[in-house]
Amino acid sequence: DGVVFGSTEEVLVALELSRQGVKYRTQVKFGPYRADFVLDDYKVVLEVDGKLFHSEERKFQEQFRDGLILAGLGPKWELVRVTDENINKHITRLMCAIATVVEGRKSRRVRDAEFIRRSKQG
């Protein structure tokens, strides 16, 4: 059973993850959907978005799909989308970019939770 990639950018991601020593799974099924990469050690689902398949018109569908995948995985997981353009121009920054996105979201959740807590106190 060979590994199948949907694009050359996915191949580049796989090579970079391997170069960095990051364990990953590809084309992982979640119900009717498939995720490009799952990085279990980082609790990250990574999607490579090409312009051909990930247009502005499909944004709502993708947000719905992402929500279903994350609901199945649990609250400690993140789904990160990277454009094919960024893969082609900045592949060596991939793990740094993933870490930046994940940390930014965690910080935002902490700030939001604090705001809600303060709002409830009056």
Side-chain angles (χ1 to χ4, degrees):
D1 220 28
V3 176
V4 177
F5 296 104
S7 67
T8 54
E9 287 76 17
E10 288 181 22
V11 173
L12 290 173
V13 168
L15 290 169
E16 180 61 16
L17 293 173
S18 295
R19 186 183 75 80
Q20 299 242 356
V22 176
K23 294 178 189 168
Y24 62 88
R25 296 183 288 142
T26 61
Q27 300 302 314
V28 179
K29 278 194 66 96
F30 293 96
Y33 305 111
R34 283 189 189 275
D36 293 336
F37 294 89
V38 174
L39 314 179
D40 292 300
D41 293 344
Y42 295 86
K43 295 201 178 318
V44 167
V45 174
L46 179 63
E47 287 293 314
V48 178
D49 288 351
K51 288 179 187 148
L52 184 61
F53 295 108
H54 301 281
S55 63
E56 194 62 36
E57 296 82 37
R58 293 194 54 184
K59 196 169 196 163
F60 176 77
Q61 285 176 291
E62 289 178 359
Q63 288 173 337
F64 180 77
R65 171 193 177 276
D66 295 353
L68 288 176
I69 289 172
L70 289 174
L73 289 170
K76 293 185 179 182
W77 282 78
E78 295 287 348
L79 192 143
V80 176
R81 291 184 169 277
V82 181
T83 65
D84 57 355
E85 184 177 356
N86 277 326
I87 295 300
N88 286 314
K89 289 183 180 179
H90 309 290
I91 188 64
T92 59
R93 298 183 192 164
L94 178 64
M95 289 308 295
C96 182
I98 290 170
T100 300
V101 168
V102 169
E103 287 306 311
R105 289 180 184 166
K106 286 180 182 176
S107 295
R108 189 168 46 250
R109 279 196 296 274
V110 168
R111 282 192 313 272
D112 291 350
E114 180 63 19
F115 175 78
I116 291 168
R117 188 185 65 74
R118 288 182 181 171
S119 298
K120 288 179 179 180
Q121 291 176 344

